[in-house]
Amino acid sequence: MDWKKLADTLFPQGHAIVEQDDFLCGSAQVDGQAVAVIGTTAHTPIGVEIALAQAKAILRTVREYPGMPILMLVDTQGQRLRHRDEMLGINSYMAHLGKCVDLARRKGHKIVGLVYDQALSGGFITSGLLADACYALPDATIRVMGLPAMARITKVPEERLTELAQSNPVFAPGPENYLRMGGLEAIWEDDLAAHLRAALAAPVNGDQRSALGLQRGGRRWAQPVIDAVMTGGHVRIV
């Protein structure tokens, strides 16, 4: 989805979002409240430059606009796979971005993620998945790794992975499967502005993804294992 059309739909009261080299940054109005908007577009890979730009925008929001909600718009093919970025330590840049998101949360900023097009691997982990709650549009593409690449890495035939993907959301791409696993709070359809208002108004109750995954049947063991670790109990896996 074109980010400009998305912004006009999300923010009928107006916005001041600008794009520079596939990096989105600016502000918008939601029911008279200012919201910081940070994100990417054009399936851009997250290299050191965009990782730093996002981190800088988040820190500026924390410093200059205490408590302002932050909306992270996600459209990325993941981290940039270039020798230059690896030699510069792209993992450290992305870790820095993740720390900035966590700092904003601890400073009282409500953080909402929205996958409006594509979300893959590390570029998703350090953006939408670090939000207080992450949402997606119905046509969004979400996956950790494509099945062909997964087959090469795991040595499991692609046909077998395709078969597993029919019944196990861990192997399958798409927002519906991430909803089942608890990675997404909800999938937004119809009135996107109303969904955003509701998301910004929703209370923050900590990380509920494992509990949602158990409730929805997409991840049956994550929450029981967490509970066992926290209580010193045991989990019987059959």
Side-chain angles (χ1 to χ4, degrees):
M1 184 177 190
D2 179 73
W3 76 265
K4 294 180 181 177
K5 293 181 179 178
L6 174 67
D8 290 341
T9 303
L10 285 172
F11 308 112
Q13 294 181 345
H15 67 84
I17 305 170
V18 296
E19 174 191 350
Q20 182 175 3
D21 298 328
D22 299 327
F23 169 58
L24 303 177
C25 186
S27 62
Q29 292 290 320
V30 178
D31 281 349
Q33 178 186 30
V35 177
V37 181
I38 299 166
T40 52
T41 189
H43 307 341
T44 190
I46 306 300
V48 296
E49 296 86 2
I50 286 187
L52 280 181
Q54 291 185 94
K56 181 179 179 180
I58 291 170
L59 292 178
R60 183 174 61 247
T61 301
V62 172
R63 181 176 61 251
E64 299 179 5
Y65 305 100
M68 178 184 288
I70 299 172
L71 173 65
M72 304 191 75
L73 297 178
V74 182
D75 177 19
T76 176
Q77 59 182 272
Q79 71 186 62
R80 188 163 63 197
L81 302 177
R82 289 184 183 174
H83 181 71
R84 171 181 175 274
D85 291 271
E86 294 295 334
M87 293 301 293
L88 288 172
I90 182 62
N91 58 311
S92 297
Y93 286 84
M94 298 185 79
H96 173 63
L97 171 57
K99 291 176 182 178
C100 292
V101 175
D102 183 60
L103 172 66
R105 180 182 7 261
R106 289 186 283 112
K107 290 290 186 178
H109 295 260
K110 178 70 176 288
I111 304 172
V112 174
L114 176 60
V115 181
Y116 69 97
D117 200 314
Q118 184 169 278
L120 273 71
S121 64
F124 183 35
I125 292 172
T126 55
S127 56
L129 282 183
L130 283 180
D132 293 312
C134 186
Y135 304 85
L137 300 186
D139 295 330
T141 299
I142 306 175
R143 61 174 181 261
V144 173
M145 184 182 293
L147 292 184
M150 192 181 298
R152 291 195 298 270
I153 296 297
T154 64
K155 309 304 180 184
V156 176
E158 185 178 344
E159 295 77 13
R160 176 55 177 159
L161 292 177
T162 301
E163 179 184 337
L164 289 170
Q166 302 304 313
S167 58
N168 192 325
V170 172
F171 294 94
E176 296 83 4
N177 292 297
Y178 275 76
L179 182 71
R180 287 182 59 198
M181 291 189 291
L184 295 178
E185 187 77 16
I187 297 174
W188 288 357
E189 299 186 70
D190 302 321
D191 191 341
L192 301 185
H195 285 303
L196 178 58
R197 289 195 300 271
L200 292 173
V204 178
N205 297 314
D207 190 345
Q208 299 296 314
R209 290 175 295 184
S210 296
L212 288 174
L214 176 62
Q215 175 184 328
R216 297 167 180 171
R219 285 199 301 166
R220 295 180 298 164
W221 293 111
Q223 189 61 48
V225 168
I226 291 172
D227 293 339
V229 170
M230 297 299 292
T231 61
H234 301 277
V235 177
R236 183 171 179 266
I237 300 178
V238 295

